[in-house]
Amino acid sequence: MRYRTLGRTGIKVSPYCLGAMMFGAMGNPDHDDSIRIIHKALDAGINFVDTADAYSRGESEEIVGKALKGRRDNVVLATKAHLPMGDDPNQQGNSRRWLVRALEDSLRRLGTDHVDLFQIHRPAPDTDVEETLSALTDLVRAGKVRAIGSSTFPASDIVEAQWVAERRGLVRFRTEQPPYSILNRSIEREVLPVCERYGMGAMVWSPLAGGLLTGRYRKGRQTDSHRARFGFQHMSDERRLDAVEQLIPLAQKAGMSLTHLAMAFAISHPGVTSAIIGPRTMDHLDDLLAGAETTLTDEILDQIDAIVPPGTDIGTLDTAYNTPAIQQTALRRRPDERSAT
């Protein structure tokens, strides 16, 4: 396994990051089996593990904590906070009040005294970014966090956070975790260039487009996969399925599986540090590891560009972040005076 530098932090991480979202009730409820999967990933050279407090309401962190006993020093450990962890409206978000509590809870579940990367899982338009960065700065100075990062932040929010950190003398975001795959390439337009400009590492999630780029989902066919049972609309988006039908023969002609093509694509962009894999079973992990040496030629990348143009999305992941300007109808429509005369 080759290693890359995570932005300008000096931290060396593997191009594959083991995502732990599928460990626990959301995916694999068998703790022992999940631990075996984690250990096999580590044995294969993956040294980067990403989880979050919201994954199975903390169960994922507990599993990761058990798996890393005796191996913690050799792992770059990342977790996230923001999503609801209870019915109390203050048990979520990006406020100092919540982030300090959330990290303490995560450290307890993970069985460690620090995390290498603490990330803000989603933006919070109702919270001043200075409030968030100030709290995170204190956590870094207390030795509980080594570096901080954002996740699914629009480019404008990333830039604002960088400027606020500089003006106020606060620790700045060192990483961004956006969605990225052959089917979702919009971050190539601004997010990845902004990350490169500010020396931020990018650890991209859903490089398999929520499972669509495994080849298991085909146009006109039903599937009984784990993800399909959640009812995600992007799994049945005809435009996305059309693109998959074009990508499958491309991968076959190149002598590789669609999964391996998709993973190799995600880590081929110079702005991407690592792509997050999220295996639920040992077979899933074995398949992903089997493609670790896959390299895409310029010719293959050009053919992918012809199917999905650079900087564009085909449909949208259901779990992607939309700004209030997109989510709220009132912010997109004038209440009156809509005519020119």
Side-chain angles (χ1 to χ4, degrees):
M1 189 72 67
R2 297 175 179 173
Y3 297 92
R4 300 173 173 183
T5 304
L6 187 61
R8 294 181 190 154
T9 64
I11 300 172
K12 308 299 181 183
V13 297
S14 47
Y16 283 5
C17 172
L18 180 64
M21 188 175 75
M22 287 290 105
F23 301 144
M26 291 176 63
N28 187 344
D30 187 327
H31 286 211
D32 290 337
D33 189 45
S34 295
I35 290 170
R36 285 192 290 270
I37 293 171
I38 295 171
H39 285 171
K40 184 163 188 177
L42 299 182
D43 292 341
I46 293 176
N47 75 335
F48 199 7
V49 178
D50 176 71
T51 185
D53 57 0
Y55 295 163
S56 297
R57 285 294 180 96
E59 188 181 4
S60 170
E61 288 183 324
E62 292 173 356
I63 293 171
V64 170
K66 288 189 286 188
L68 296 188
K69 285 183 178 179
R71 308 184 70 158
R72 173 68 184 89
D73 290 343
N74 297 321
V75 172
V76 178
L77 180 59
T79 193
K80 301 181 285 293
H82 167 86
L83 299 179
M85 286 296 287
D87 295 330
D88 189 315
N90 286 312
Q91 290 182 319
Q92 61 182 301
N94 300 344
S95 69
R96 171 183 289 273
R97 186 182 192 277
W98 174 240
L99 292 178
V100 173
R101 166 69 183 278
L103 178 64
E104 294 292 349
D105 290 345
S106 288
L107 293 178
R108 172 177 49 77
R109 288 188 291 262
L110 289 164
T112 185
D113 62 357
H114 75 282
V115 291
D116 299 292
L117 178 62
F118 189 41
Q119 303 157 99
I120 303 303
H121 211 150
R122 292 290 186 272
D126 65 349
T127 306
D128 193 325
V129 70
E130 183 177 349
E131 166 86 2
T132 300
L133 291 174
S134 176
L136 295 175
T137 297
D138 288 345
L139 294 174
V140 170
R141 291 172 178 169
K144 298 178 180 181
V145 174
R146 299 294 185 258
I148 62 172
S150 54
S151 177
T152 72
F153 274 43
S156 58
D157 286 10
I158 296 173
V159 173
E160 180 186 7
Q162 293 289 326
W163 276 95
V164 168
E166 181 175 334
R167 288 198 305 268
R168 302 301 187 190
L170 302 172
V171 174
R172 66 188 183 90
F173 287 137
R174 293 291 189 170
T175 64
E176 163 60 16
Q177 188 178 138
Y180 183 56
S181 72
I182 294 175
L183 302 183
N184 291 95
R185 302 183 60 176
S186 61
I187 65 167
E188 294 174 342
R189 191 173 295 277
E190 291 189 353
V191 171
L192 288 179
V194 164
C195 287
E196 291 181 275
R197 185 183 312 155
Y198 287 102
M200 298 172 65
M203 40 195 295
V204 300
W205 57 271
S206 203
L208 299 180
L212 277 177
L213 296 177
T214 62
R216 296 181 62 188
Y217 301 86
R218 303 294 298 272
K219 195 167 184 179
R221 299 184 191 176
Q222 295 290 329
T223 181
D224 189 33
S225 74
H226 178 80
R227 291 181 181 270
R229 289 196 292 272
F230 282 94
F232 291 136
Q233 293 183 6
H234 67 250
M235 307 302 287
S236 57
D237 187 317
E238 289 292 319
R239 297 166 298 171
R240 294 166 74 81
L241 290 170
D242 284 340
V244 169
E245 292 299 325
Q246 297 178 68
L247 291 167
I248 288 175
L250 172 59
Q252 291 173 339
K253 184 178 180 180
M256 64 185 73
S257 70
L258 182 58
T259 297
H260 296 169
L261 175 81
M263 290 301 304
F265 170 85
I267 63 173
S268 69
H269 193 289
V272 172
T273 308
S274 300
I276 298 174
I277 60 173
R280 181 173 54 88
T281 68
M282 191 68 79
D283 287 343
H284 291 165
L285 177 63
D286 288 340
D287 181 35
L288 290 162
L289 292 177
E293 296 182 359
T294 302
T295 300
L296 302 186
T297 64
D298 286 343
E299 180 183 2
I300 294 175
L301 290 170
D302 287 343
Q303 291 175 302
I304 292 174
D305 287 349
I307 297 171
V308 183
T312 64
D313 286 341
I314 297 182
T316 305
L317 284 165
D318 293 312
T319 50
Y321 172 76
N322 281 318
T323 65
I326 299 299
Q327 289 180 318
Q328 299 177 29
T329 304
L331 297 179
R332 293 183 282 107
R333 298 175 184 174
R334 288 178 175 270
D336 50 26
E337 298 180 356
R338 295 183 182 179
S339 69
T341 58

